[in-house]
Amino acid sequence: MKRVIVISTSLRHGSNSDILADKFVEGAQAAGNEVEKISLSGKEIQFCRGCMACHKLGHCAIKDDVNDIMAKVMEADVIVWATPIYYYEMSGQMKTLIDRMNAMYGRDYKFRDVYLLTTAADEEPETPKRAEVGLSGWIACYPKSRLAGTLFCGGVNEPKAIEGNAKLQEAYEMGTKIC
């Protein structure tokens, strides 16, 4: 059994990336894993100030929801990011959280496998590539980890447009392979 943290970065209720994340969660739970989904909706996440106090403190000096999220990420075996693609890139709130987790750099961590689930109105296969590259930059700072898998569902724009899409089954199956 692995401890899996799924971070849903969309702030839109009923978002397609959030629904995709839910299917991954279902699959990972069906495989016997301990899974926690963290939605950034309703979370207070300020921008990184670049003060570097986190390297002295071991946590961010800003008092918001990031330190709690970061603590869970540090203890997880698997991290799953779910994001809508905006202008061919990860959501701003995902990037802001990644920047704010700078306190993790140089510390020990448990996660080895990182997954990326993306959705977009655009259907072209290259649509999520910049988000994948951006996340890979974060992963490169944690050399014991790797990008273990990606899943993209294009052609979904309106809330819940993903319902009935075959990519939901793919997300479920991806989750079942966590063991």
Side-chain angles (χ1 to χ4, degrees):
M1 176 181 81
K2 292 195 175 182
R3 174 140 173 74
V4 181
I5 296 293
V6 177
I7 304 171
S8 179
T9 69
S10 178
L11 303 181
R12 180 167 76 174
H13 180 69
S15 78
N16 297 303
S17 63
D18 193 53
I19 294 169
L20 196 63
D22 286 341
K23 282 299 179 184
F24 188 100
V25 167
E26 287 178 29
Q29 287 174 330
N33 296 292
E34 177 187 335
V35 184
E36 180 180 356
K37 181 180 160 197
I38 299 170
S39 173
L40 297 190
S41 180
K43 297 280 192 267
E44 181 187 353
I45 300 175
Q46 297 178 36
F47 292 114
C48 178
R49 297 178 189 153
C51 68
M52 304 305 279
C54 59
H55 290 280
K56 294 175 188 155
L57 299 171
H59 61 83
C60 185
I62 301 171
K63 306 283 190 242
D64 60 10
D65 292 316
V66 171
N67 284 320
D68 290 339
I69 295 169
M70 191 168 35
K72 292 176 181 186
V73 168
M74 294 285 290
E75 293 300 316
D77 300 302
V78 177
I79 307 300
V80 182
W81 293 91
T83 186
I85 297 295
Y86 298 145
Y87 296 101
Y88 301 93
E89 185 54 275
M90 69 181 75
S91 67
Q93 49 275 17
M94 179 174 163
K95 177 64 169 117
T96 299
L97 179 58
I98 285 173
D99 290 348
R100 285 288 309 289
M101 292 195 305
N102 191 43
M104 291 173 38
Y105 185 75
R107 294 177 55 200
D108 198 19
Y109 54 95
K110 292 185 179 177
F111 62 92
R112 298 299 181 258
D113 292 338
V114 179
Y115 291 84
L116 178 62
L117 310 174
T118 56
T119 59
D122 190 46
E123 297 183 59
E124 297 302 318
E126 64 274 357
T127 299
K129 297 302 178 196
R130 291 181 189 153
E132 291 169 13
V133 168
L135 182 60
S136 293
W138 179 72
I139 294 168
C141 294
Y142 303 96
K144 294 185 280 185
S145 66
R146 68 185 180 109
L147 183 59
T150 64
L151 180 62
F152 170 61
C153 182
V156 292
N157 190 25
E158 298 303 317
K160 301 182 183 181
I162 199 170
E163 290 179 352
N165 192 298
K167 295 291 183 173
L168 293 173
Q169 184 62 31
E170 287 183 43
Y172 178 86
E173 290 169 9
M174 185 180 276
T176 65
K177 293 179 179 148
I178 306 294
C179 53

